[in-house]
Amino acid sequence: MKIDTLETWGIDPTRPLVISGPCSAESEEQMLETARGLKAIGVQIFRAGIWKPRTRPGMFEGIGSQGLKWLKTVKKETGMLTATEVANKEHVYEALKMGVDILWIGARTSANPFAVQEVADALQGADVPVIVKNPVNPDLELWIGAIERIAGAGITKLAAIHRGFSAFDKGKYRNEPRWQVVIELHRRMPELPIICDPSHIGGDSQYIFEISQKAMDLGLCGLIIEAHNNPAEAWSDAKQQITPAQVGEVLQKLVIRQTNSDNVEFKQSLDELRQKIDVLDNDVLNLLQQRMEVVKEIGKNKKENNIQILQSDRWAQIVEKAKKEAAVRGFSEEFVEQFFKAIHQESINIQNNILNA
Ligand code: PEP
Ligand code: MN
């Protein structure tokens, strides 16, 4: 897949790349006032939702095509590039006709290959940057599939936005970050710029800084932050929007870490620590192998005595004990639980093979 660098987008490739602007376009004044504030703090790309795919009907569904004129005015007055969300072919045609510089595909659209393909077909022959948000569900293949569909239309200015994943049980954030999905996307597509959306992950203005910092610590290349001249009165996502001045504060406070260092001492000590980790990882694997040998013995015993594999009480005991150990050892409960679930699943698979051999 051919992926151009961010420099080709016509922006100054500073890190982090920042896209900011309101969740929704509401009026020309709201757009211009917000845009002026953002321009003043050095933001290069202005975002605004023109068509809003809302989860439930009856919410504000976007101002529609008239907002495209306001985007044009913002561009003319501030010189910023403009970006909006497209979800079907009409959106693509209208946005391109009105000179929107960058298009993005929303999370609800990325989850639907029919819709992504329709957008891709409408993009054939266009030379416009397209950013693909992660689908609402943590399905990396679906995310990559959406990127591939857009690339298949000949789009080479590509990027991804990490905006978190829906969950039934609401945690601290509106959407679960599941950073491991993003790390895996980066491993699979190292050339693809990945931008973090702390507004939609956090769902609340108070979390924007901490999520942005985490994204920078993980080496993501940019941020898309929802900003509004009067957040409290916003017609959508009011809780998570901040003023342009607050965007400036977040950016000021961010610690941007180097990808690498020339400091010889640092490199040496990092090498040594990594060697230690490699040895310990090998020890972990050896222990797991020993554990699985015991599991095989149990499997044979169960087979001889015609006993079922899953013993729920025993499994519950293991998880409870592990959680207590987690607290003592300073691990998160979530980690220990996931770790033991993975081990348990492998144990079940091994026993299954033995019982059905
Ligand atoms: C948005 O960026 O305003 C938006 C609707 O985001 P998402 O598709 O991530 O929900
Ligand atoms: Mn929004």
Side-chain angles (χ1 to χ4, degrees):
M1 188 184 301
K2 184 173 179 302
I3 300 175
D4 297 337
T5 60
L6 286 174
E7 282 90 49
T8 65
W9 293 27
I11 45 169
D12 168 15
T14 42
R15 191 165 166 262
L17 163 80
V18 181
I19 304 173
S20 189
C23 177
S24 302
E26 297 166 10
S27 71
E28 193 170 45
E29 303 73 67
Q30 169 241 11
M31 298 265 276
L32 273 171
E33 205 181 311
T34 309
R36 286 184 198 119
L38 291 168
K39 171 77 183 178
I41 58 158
V43 172
Q44 301 182 63
I45 305 173
F46 181 80
R47 66 150 281 160
I50 301 292
W51 303 281
K52 301 300 298 178
R54 306 315 298 279
T55 301
R56 302 200 39 200
M59 300 159 120
F60 173 57
E61 299 205 313
I63 205 82
S65 312
Q66 60 173 312
L68 294 170
K69 278 187 269 172
W70 307 336
L71 272 180
K72 211 171 190 170
T73 311
V74 164
K75 182 176 169 148
K76 210 168 123 203
E77 207 186 279
T78 65
M80 276 193 264
L81 296 182
T82 55
T84 200
E85 172 174 350
V86 290
N88 62 35
K89 56 179 187 288
E90 284 80 22
H91 296 165
V92 174
Y93 297 144
E94 287 196 52
L96 292 180
K97 196 175 78 195
M98 290 298 281
V100 178
D101 302 287
I102 296 166
L103 308 179
W104 84 78
I105 296 179
R108 291 157 195 77
T109 307
S110 298
N112 176 359
F114 288 129
V116 175
Q117 193 58 50
E118 178 180 322
V119 168
D121 292 344
L123 283 166
Q124 276 289 348
D127 180 26
V128 65
V130 179
I131 320 181
V132 182
K133 283 195 160 198
N134 65 257
V136 282
N137 52 328
D139 184 338
L140 180 59
E141 297 309 316
L142 194 58
W143 194 0
I144 292 177
I147 297 163
E148 286 170 341
R149 286 177 196 278
I150 302 302
I155 300 291
T156 51
K157 297 185 176 74
L158 283 163
I161 294 176
H162 169 228
R163 51 79 77 199
F165 304 95
S166 303
F168 178 68
D169 299 306
K170 285 279 172 259
K172 172 177 173 188
Y173 297 147
R174 175 177 174 187
N175 289 296
E176 289 180 350
R178 303 253 193 152
W179 296 101
Q180 69 274 27
V181 180
V182 188
I183 293 167
E184 181 60 12
L185 175 66
H186 181 59
R187 194 187 67 78
R188 298 265 299 266
M189 306 180 81
E191 309 301 322
L192 183 75
I194 306 178
I195 296 163
C196 175
D197 179 344
S199 309
H200 289 90
I201 292 176
D204 193 311
S205 55
Q206 66 175 309
Y207 300 131
I208 288 178
F209 174 75
E210 65 181 50
I211 299 167
S212 301
Q213 184 62 61
K214 172 95 181 182
M216 294 301 101
D217 292 348
L218 288 174
L220 302 203
C221 74
L223 298 167
I224 176 165
I225 302 178
E226 284 190 338
H228 194 288
N229 58 329
N230 187 359
E233 298 298 321
W235 297 358
S236 60
D237 288 351
K239 239 174 103 186
Q240 71 195 32
Q241 300 202 62
I242 55 179
T243 64
Q246 286 170 319
V247 175
E249 284 162 27
V250 167
L251 298 179
Q252 279 269 307
K253 229 169 86 184
L254 276 184
V255 181
I256 308 297
R257 303 188 205 279
Q258 310 297 317
T259 49
N260 238 316
S261 163
D262 293 331
N263 181 327
V264 179
E265 253 172 60
F266 163 77
K267 279 181 151 172
Q268 232 169 28
S269 97
L270 186 65
D271 269 354
E272 281 167 20
L273 291 171
R274 284 182 170 162
Q275 279 172 19
K276 270 193 195 167
I277 289 211
D278 288 347
V279 171
L280 288 168
D281 279 350
N282 208 42
D283 289 351
V284 170
L285 286 173
N286 283 337
L287 278 173
L288 281 174
Q289 194 182 359
Q290 285 177 33
R291 187 192 193 280
M292 293 311 171
E293 291 303 325
V294 178
V295 167
K296 284 181 194 162
E297 287 301 312
I298 293 183
K300 281 183 210 148
N301 270 337
K302 283 184 183 165
K303 183 174 179 141
E304 275 160 21
N305 294 285
N306 203 24
I307 304 289
Q308 70 177 35
I309 295 176
L310 183 64
Q311 303 284 332
S312 310
D313 296 352
R314 166 79 180 140
W315 168 234
Q317 269 174 13
I318 291 181
V319 172
E320 275 323 300
K321 196 165 147 238
K323 280 186 181 172
K324 282 200 191 111
E325 288 288 331
V328 178
R329 292 166 197 258
F331 302 151
S332 73
E333 268 193 13
E334 190 198 359
F335 161 68
V336 173
E337 198 170 340
Q338 279 184 6
F339 182 71
F340 274 92
K341 265 191 189 155
I343 292 176
H344 188 235
Q345 186 57 56
E346 183 67 8
S347 304
I348 288 179
N349 295 346
I350 288 173
Q351 293 185 50
N352 228 332
N353 287 339
I354 291 173
L355 261 75
N356 298 305

